[in-house]
Amino acid sequence: MAEHRRMQRDALLEAARSLLSEGGTEALTFPALAERTGLARSSVYEYFRSRAAVVEELCAVDFPVWAAEVEAAMERADTPEAKIEAYVRQQLTLVGDRRHRAVVAISAGELDAAAREKIRAAHGGLITMVVDALEALGHDEPRLAATLLQGVVDAAVRRIELGAAEDPERITRAAVSMVLHGVGG
């Protein structure tokens, strides 16, 4: 019985990822979740009390996986600059991943304060990963620099998501150049 419930919950989360990556937060509705999973709408409410609860669960499940992939890419790099480049590149590589697209849709969406706070905390954990590399480069305010660096990554993510005129690899190269060399190129 518990296994069956876990499978249904996983199916609901997978359906939520699809809906978010296809149509953003507006697409994530209980009728749509019910339709995608073949469950009755009342059954969806047995698992999640609200859309925000679905979003919070997705963040709890998907953010750590995403962060672990970024961290692994950074660990393979051997210099502070290479770690920073890996931090940027890995996040932008994950843009095509449905879990990542769901997280992006969530971040852009209209959420309650608790869900937004969870997302902020998860982003904070991500930013912490790059602080050490910035300290090693001699930044006197590595936490501030890390936050600004993440802003460049977030802007590049949005640009890729929008299907901008530029090739995603070109956007990635520009983002890496911006964080490593500033506007001087």
Side-chain angles (χ1 to χ4, degrees), residues 116-172:
R116 272 200 313 273
E117 191 44 52
K118 283 207 167 91
I119 290 167
R120 242 192 315 281
H123 266 284
L126 201 58
I127 288 166
T128 300
M129 283 190 230
V130 81
V131 169
D132 289 344
L134 290 163
E135 272 176 353
L137 284 178
H139 267 276
D140 39 343
E141 293 194 63
R143 184 96 199 152
L144 173 59
T147 303
L148 296 174
L149 187 159
Q150 185 61 42
V152 170
V153 174
D154 293 343
V157 165
R158 281 192 301 278
R159 188 113 185 131
I160 292 169
E161 283 286 318
L162 287 169
E166 306 90 359
D167 172 63
E169 178 52 31
R170 201 161 146 223
I171 295 169
T172 300

Side-chain angles (χ1 to χ4, degrees), residues 45 65 79 86 101 104 106 170:
Y45 283 99
V65 174
T79 65
R101 283 214 302 273
V104 170
I106 288 164
R170 201 161 146 223

Side-chain angles (χ1 to χ4, degrees), residues 14-68:
E14 192 52 38
R17 280 182 199 101
S18 294
L19 290 165
L20 282 165
S21 66
E22 290 161 18
T25 47
E26 306 79 55
L28 181 61
T29 65
F30 279 35
L33 283 171
E35 187 183 323
R36 286 279 167 107
T37 56
L39 293 171
R41 200 182 311 183
S42 58
S43 297
V44 178
Y45 283 99
E46 288 175 32
Y47 291 90
F48 300 105
R49 69 194 176 287
S50 65
R51 281 180 358 145
V54 177
V55 164
E56 285 181 37
E57 182 76 14
L58 272 178
C59 285
V61 171
D62 291 352
F63 246 117
V65 174
W66 182 35

